[in-house]
């Protein structure tokens, strides 16, 4: 067995390196995911201070999601070329600069521009997929990518810490008046954490990084994107991840608008946020389970389980309340949404298990395109939810989901039949 200069077996050193890359990148991604989606919680306080309309507030959140998706292809490819360690460090420091600037914005236009640039944090996903794929063995890639992807849990971080910080510090100043309390303190705290995380990435992961795309031309690395199969995987990811992002932002207002408490009043925003968290957590935490299932039984079986569960629950939630009166019960409704989220968590990992299996040398490019289009789904779906969900038909949101999932499931089965017959 070969050894390195320290006398440690190469295989053992590689295992230690892959573990360090996995856990440090997962922590960094969790933080950047929280920064990427922080306007969903800060928005209420921002709206009150600046006198913004609901539409203006929606655009602030939307442009962050947009910029966190549109650069995922180049981020993954660059990570393939120079290594994920460098890409993560740059993304963390860039996010820190823009996050700090948000704390000093005093107009809608300033916030809109800065929210767009803060969104760059969302592109860390494909860089992390490439980085972990390069360090993981094929037998453990599904689990490793599932653990990394569980950083989606960052969507809940601001929901839990944001309101408490805002309430406790509003009207106060810090560091001699340089930093204001309230909502402005949250991006300042994130700035400090982002800088510390950049240091951890740089000094806590192997300096001798892996770059599987090094030495290959751009044309060679983009060639797999011509395959229809890659675009099919992208549509799958719209359904399991883009819809996850969209529903995470959409559900709090959905619950307030369509459900009442025991006194007949609309449920509170706090209640709606907590129930939404019951969707967010399984849709994130079960991602490692989805990776393990894909390693153990195959990604195809995991995707079938995902789409069948999502389709049944989406159809159930789309029924008019006159057909299924139980849908008027918030707890019953939330349980079905919870099951829907569980399936999403498994499916997100299963989609990405396909990529190193079919395109081991092009994870950055293929994973980048899949991640980019999936993220853009989170930008496109909320307007569709709004268009198909009038007050008289709350199920419209999940009718959109049912149609999307049905298309994905049908395309997958047709592709599988084609593979068996040698046509694909």
């Amino acid at each position: 067995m070969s050894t390195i200069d320290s006398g440690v077996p190469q295989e053992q050193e590689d295992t230690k390196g892959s573990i360090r890359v996995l856990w440090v990148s997962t922590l960094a991604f969790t933080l950047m995911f929280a920064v990427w989606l922080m306007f969903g919680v800060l928005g209420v306080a921002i709206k009150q201070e600046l006198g913004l309309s609901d539409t203006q507030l929606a655009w602030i959140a939307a442009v962050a999601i947009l910029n966190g998706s549109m650069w995922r292809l180049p981020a993954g490819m660059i990570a393939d070329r120079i290594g994920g360690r460098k890409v993560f460090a740059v993304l963390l420091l860039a996010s820190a600069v823009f996050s700090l600037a948000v704390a000093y914005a005093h107009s809608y236009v300033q916030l809109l521009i800065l929210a767009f640039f803060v969104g760059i944090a969302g592109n860390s996903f494909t860089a992390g997929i490439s980085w972990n794929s390069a360090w993981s063995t094929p037998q453990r890639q599904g689990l490793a990518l599932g653990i990394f992807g569980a950083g989606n849990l960052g969507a809940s971080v601001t929901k839990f810490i944001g309101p408490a910080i805002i309430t406790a510090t509003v009207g106060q100043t810090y560091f001699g008046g340089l930093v204001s309390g309230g909502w402005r303190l949250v991006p300042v705290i994130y700035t400090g954490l982002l800088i510390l995380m950049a240091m951890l990435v740089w000094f806590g992961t192997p300096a001798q990084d892996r770059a599987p795309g090094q030495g290959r031309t751009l044309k060679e690395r983009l060639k797999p994107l011509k395959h229809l199969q890659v675009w099919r995987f992208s549509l799958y990811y719209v359904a399991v991840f883009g819809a996850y992002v969209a529903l995470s932002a959409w559900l709090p207002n959905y619950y307030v608008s369509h459900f009442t408490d025991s006194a007949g009043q609309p449920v509170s925003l706090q209640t709606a946020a907590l129930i939404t968290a019951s969707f967010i957590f399984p849709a994130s935490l079960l991602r490692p389970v989805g990776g393990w299932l894909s390693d153990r039984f195959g990604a195809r079986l995991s995707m079938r389980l995902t789409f069948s569960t999502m389709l049944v629950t989406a159809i159930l939630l789309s029924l008019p309340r006159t057909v299924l009166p139980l849908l008027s019960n918030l707890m019953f409704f939330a349980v079905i949404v919870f099951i829907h989220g569980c399936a999403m968590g498994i499916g997100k990992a299963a989609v990405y298990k396909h990529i190193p299996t079919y395109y081991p040398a092009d994870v950055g490019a293929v994973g980048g395109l899949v991640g980019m289009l999936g993220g853009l789904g989170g930008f496109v779906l909320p307007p569709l939810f709004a268009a198909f969900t009038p007050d008289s038909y709350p199920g419209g949101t999940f009718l959109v989901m049912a149609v999307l999932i049905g298309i994905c499931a049908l395309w997958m089965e047709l592709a599988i039949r084609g593979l068996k017959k040698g046509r694909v």
Side-chain angles (χ1 to χ4, degrees), residues 83-165:
R85 177 171 172 262
K86 293 176 182 177
V87 176
F88 256 72
V90 170
L91 287 174
L92 284 160
L93 292 175
S95 300
V97 171
F98 296 125
S99 181
L100 181 62
V102 166
Y104 299 95
H106 293 281
S107 71
Y108 169 64
V109 173
Q110 289 176 346
L111 266 176
L112 192 67
I113 294 172
L114 290 172
F116 177 81
F117 284 111
V118 165
I120 195 172
N123 297 291
S124 58
F125 174 72
T126 48
I129 290 292
S130 171
W131 196 13
N132 280 284
S133 293
W135 279 92
S136 302
T137 62
Q139 295 78 17
R140 296 178 60 84
Q141 276 178 335
L143 179 60
L145 298 185
I147 291 172
F148 170 75
N152 289 164
L153 193 62
S156 293
V157 171
T158 313
K159 285 182 171 63
F160 284 107
I161 70 170
I165 293 173

Side-chain angles (χ1 to χ4, degrees), residues 245-271:
V245 172
L247 287 172
S248 296
W250 178 256
L251 284 175
N253 185 65
Y254 180 92
Y255 287 132
V256 171
S257 300
H258 298 290
F259 290 92
T260 57
D261 58 22
S262 57
Q265 299 298 315
V267 297
S268 68
L269 183 58
Q270 290 83 357
T271 299

Side-chain angles (χ1 to χ4, degrees), residues 52-108:
L52 304 182
S53 67
D54 287 340
T55 300
Q56 288 175 316
L57 189 61
W59 273 108
I60 289 174
V63 295
I65 293 175
L66 177 63
N67 196 38
S69 305
M70 61 190 295
W71 305 111
R72 289 186 169 197
L73 174 57
M77 294 181 66
I78 293 171
D80 268 357
R81 185 68 179 265
I82 66 174
R85 177 171 172 262
K86 293 176 182 177
V87 176
F88 256 72
V90 170
L91 287 174
L92 284 160
L93 292 175
S95 300
V97 171
F98 296 125
S99 181
L100 181 62
V102 166
Y104 299 95
H106 293 281
S107 71
Y108 169 64

Side-chain angles (χ1 to χ4, degrees), residues 330-375:
L330 179 57
M331 289 302 103
F332 175 81
F333 193 95
V335 167
I336 305 303
V337 173
F338 168 83
I339 296 171
H340 194 78
C342 290
M344 279 182 162
I346 292 172
K348 283 187 286 186
V351 171
Y352 267 87
K353 172 62 178 177
H354 281 90
I355 295 170
T357 300
Y358 287 96
Y359 305 98
D362 298 287
V363 173
V366 177
L369 179 67
V370 171
M372 179 183 72
L373 294 180

Side-chain angles (χ1 to χ4, degrees), residues 1-39:
M1 180 179 292
S2 63
T3 60
I4 58 176
D5 293 340
S6 62
V8 178
Q10 183 69 53
E11 182 179 351
Q12 183 179 346
E13 184 69 15
D14 288 349
T15 300
K16 289 182 178 179
S18 67
I19 292 173
R20 285 157 60 194
V21 167
L22 175 59
W23 292 111
V24 172
S25 66
T26 300
L27 285 173
F29 177 54
T30 302
L31 175 60
M32 284 195 277
F33 207 88
V35 172
W36 183 35
L37 298 181
M38 67 178 172
F39 294 102

